[in-house]
Amino acid sequence: MNLLPLIVVFPMFVAIIFNYLNGKDKLIRPMTLLMAILLLALPFIGSYGIYNFGAHGLENGLISGISYLYTPVKQLIITVIMLIGSLVLITGLGEKKSNGLFVALMLMGLASVSAVVMADDLFNIYVFYEIAAIAQTGLVIASGTEKAYRAAFRYLILGNFAGSILLLGVSMLLAATGTLNISDMHNFLLNNPSTPTIYGGLLMLIIGLCYGSGLPPFHTVKADIYARAKPFIAAMLQTYSKFVLVALLLVIFKLFGGLSYFTSTQGVLIALSVLGMVFGVVMALLQNDYKKLLAYHAISQGGYVAAGIALGTPLGIVAGIFHAINHVIYKSALFLGAHLVERRNAGNLNKLGGLLPVIPATAFMVLCAKLAISGVPPFNGFQSKLLLAEAAMNVNMPELAIIMILVSIGTFVSMMKAFYLIYLKPCSQEQIEEYKKAKPSKYAVFSLAVLTFLCVLLGIFPSLATDIIYPFANEIGRVWTL
């Protein structure tokens, strides 16, 4: 029996239970730990291939009903999603008060983003895309500050607009092709002339992609919710966004790949990704608030992911997906490092300093994550950024490779500046004694250690991930030049 639906159904069902248990601390803590362990097993309970719900299948030559498509690449992505979710849940155990609603929203987000990754029909992608947006909004509100409420409200307002645009795009493509299944829709688009309705549907999908992933013009809205949420929650929010970006970009490629007009669409996607990279790193360089600095870097790194996949070549797709995996690992480590720092002072970099002798192990692990995001060997960020640059050079776009390198230099500068201001800047003995009063959360330190280990592991052995992605990328990618 194929247990694939449980990847979505089980976290959703348990989320309802946690919602009812909110306030019962003695039950929530052990159940949260148990759930964090169970999440790691979920990606391995299903079988590869197509799963059709409700005994639906082929009807009149078309696939009907809800269907999931599970492949080794999707299993890898969902494994990473569940791993980050597990570590964030474990980190949450270090909070003074257990919050069942927080766990419920986390599980809703994990289930919905996994469904977006696996779904093989556009309408279900839209439904779970909206559930993921609601879960993200709720997680920001759970941070409990006035600024968080405002950021969540703004995200929700714009989400209503972007979600409606995405649904309109799905409707237009359904009207033009007569099906919601992605494979059937692609076959129709290949064998029939394009119409304004199809062009409109493609445009609407791209708008929904930009909102869900934080690409321009929605980059400030996304950065705001990362910065206003508690740092360990922001680690999960950026993970959701990166894999929604990967999933929707791959859906657009599956639908429109090989069509004559899609080359110009790829140009638009690459332009958006470059804007994301540049805006993100420039805004990060201007920040004094550490969480905002990390938030804008999340936008910038999303630009790298989008650029790689938008190139559309096998190497570009491998580099894009691999960078998304690397990014959620080292960026989650950085947000957890910020969570440990936030216990000692506000996030203002100018008010920090001298933390190295207080938390040396944390400082070392955060430094590893900062080197990883800057693309320094032997960490994982170096491997995926190298592949991205190679992919750009292979399609005769050296200017794109140069932009990636310049953005990486900007990332290194801002990261080293933050490290100096937080850990190395001289401060008074009184301030150090004040820092020592706040004990680091052992749960957060454990999660940070696991993520740091993965940064090194994938930096030394990138083939652990790339060997799984290459067959899929060779199937969906194609060789092209501008």
Side-chain angles (χ1 to χ4, degrees):
M1 185 170 69
N2 193 348
L3 301 176
L4 188 63
L6 288 181
I7 296 175
V8 177
V9 173
F10 181 64
M12 280 290 188
F13 176 73
V14 180
I16 296 170
I17 296 174
F18 271 100
N19 188 36
Y20 281 109
L21 291 178
N22 190 31
K24 298 178 180 176
D25 288 7
K26 290 184 179 177
L27 277 175
I28 290 174
R29 285 182 181 275
M31 283 187 64
T32 301
L33 184 59
L34 176 63
M35 196 61 206
I37 296 169
L38 291 177
L39 286 177
L40 299 176
L42 282 182
F44 304 97
I45 62 174
S47 304
Y48 297 142
I50 294 177
Y51 182 93
N52 294 308
F53 283 79
H56 287 277
L58 279 176
E59 290 182 11
N60 301 322
L62 298 175
I63 298 172
S64 67
I66 302 170
S67 61
Y68 286 165
L69 177 60
Y70 204 49
T71 63
V73 173
K74 295 187 176 187
Q75 185 182 50
L76 174 65
I77 290 173
I78 292 173
T79 300
V80 176
I81 295 171
M82 295 299 177
L83 173 65
I84 302 294
S86 176
L87 293 176
V88 171
L89 285 176
I90 290 171
T91 303
L93 294 174
E95 294 292 286
K96 290 181 181 175
K97 188 176 179 183
S98 299
N99 188 332
L101 187 59
F102 156 70
V103 181
L105 290 166
M106 278 280 301
L107 295 175
M108 271 180 61
L110 289 169
S112 53
V113 175
S114 299
V116 169
V117 171
M118 292 191 298
D120 199 37
D121 68 279
L122 276 184
F123 186 70
N124 274 282
I125 287 176
Y126 162 74
V127 169
F128 285 105
Y129 167 98
E130 289 284 41
I131 296 174
I134 293 169
Q136 290 179 77
T137 305
L139 285 169
V140 179
I141 292 173
S143 297
T145 65
E146 187 176 338
K147 289 182 178 178
Y149 298 153
R150 289 179 181 174
F153 184 68
R154 192 159 71 118
Y155 184 69
L156 201 59
I157 294 292
L158 280 175
N160 281 332
F161 164 75
S164 301
I165 292 288
L166 180 62
L167 181 59
L168 181 60
V170 172
S171 305
M172 292 171 81
L173 291 173
L174 172 63
T177 64
T179 178
L180 285 167
N181 184 270
I182 292 170
S183 301
D184 289 337
M185 201 175 275
H186 175 64
N187 291 332
F188 180 93
L189 294 173
L190 274 180
N191 299 309
N192 292 277
S194 300
T195 64
T197 306
I198 293 172
Y199 293 139
L202 173 58
L203 176 63
M204 304 299 168
L205 289 189
I206 292 174
I207 293 173
L209 165 77
C210 291
Y211 172 77
S213 62
L215 286 176
F218 299 105
H219 55 295
T220 55
V221 181
K222 208 70 170 180
D224 199 31
I225 66 165
Y226 297 157
R228 302 307 179 194
K230 289 184 178 180
F232 75 99
I233 294 178
M236 198 68 247
L237 297 178
Q238 60 93 25
T239 301
Y240 292 150
S241 300
K242 288 299 164 298
F243 288 123
V244 166
L245 168 65
V246 170
L248 290 186
L249 266 178
L250 292 178
V251 165
I252 290 174
F253 265 86
K254 280 190 71 175
L255 283 173
F256 299 97
L259 299 173
S260 57
Y261 57 86
F262 192 59
T263 302
S264 56
T265 305
Q266 285 178 282
V268 172
L269 292 172
I270 291 171
L272 288 171
S273 63
V274 169
L275 289 175
M277 275 191 280
V278 175
F279 282 166
V281 77
V282 170
M283 292 298 292
L285 284 165
L286 298 175
Q287 301 304 318
N288 286 323
D289 185 297
Y290 188 42
K291 289 195 297 181
K292 280 191 175 179
L293 183 150
L294 294 179
Y296 278 110
H297 274 307
I299 301 300
S300 177
Q301 298 298 307
Y304 279 93
V305 175
I309 299 177
L311 287 175
T313 62
L315 183 59
I317 292 171
V318 170
I321 297 175
F322 186 38
H323 194 68
I325 291 169
N326 289 336
H327 169 73
V328 301
I329 292 172
Y330 56 62
K331 183 47 66 76
S332 297
L334 289 169
F335 274 120
L336 292 186
H339 176 63
L340 289 163
V341 168
E342 194 177 53
R343 284 170 162 252
R344 286 165 174 76
N345 207 330
N348 191 323
L349 291 169
N350 295 323
K351 295 180 180 177
L352 291 166
L355 273 172
L356 180 62
V358 181
I359 45 174
T362 298
F364 173 74
M365 292 188 283
V366 169
L367 179 62
C368 290
K370 287 181 182 296
L371 294 174
I373 193 175
S374 303
V376 175
F379 299 101
N380 55 348
F382 166 75
Q383 296 289 358
S384 51
K385 286 188 177 182
L386 181 63
L387 287 178
L388 285 165
E390 286 181 11
M393 295 298 291
N394 285 350
V395 295
N396 299 325
M397 294 183 71
E399 62 277 16
L400 179 59
I402 292 171
I403 291 171
M404 289 175 175
I405 293 170
L406 291 176
V407 170
S408 203
I409 292 171
T411 303
F412 178 78
V413 170
S414 66
M415 283 292 161
M416 290 304 107
K417 181 191 81 172
F419 187 79
Y420 170 78
L421 292 174
I422 296 171
Y423 295 101
L424 301 177
K425 189 178 73 176
C427 66
S428 65
Q429 188 61 36
E430 290 78 11
Q431 195 171 357
I432 291 178
E433 293 303 322
E434 190 66 27
Y435 288 153
K436 288 180 178 176
K437 292 179 183 176
K439 298 294 180 188
S441 163
K442 59 185 178 184
Y443 299 103
V445 172
F446 167 78
S447 299
L448 180 57
V450 171
L451 294 168
T452 306
F453 170 74
L454 290 174
C455 287
V456 177
L457 181 69
L458 288 175
I460 298 174
F461 304 106
S463 59
L464 291 173
T466 55
D467 283 356
I468 297 173
I469 306 170
Y470 264 114
F472 168 77
N474 286 328
E475 183 182 332
I476 195 172
R478 68 185 181 88
V479 178
W480 67 287
T481 57
L482 286 177

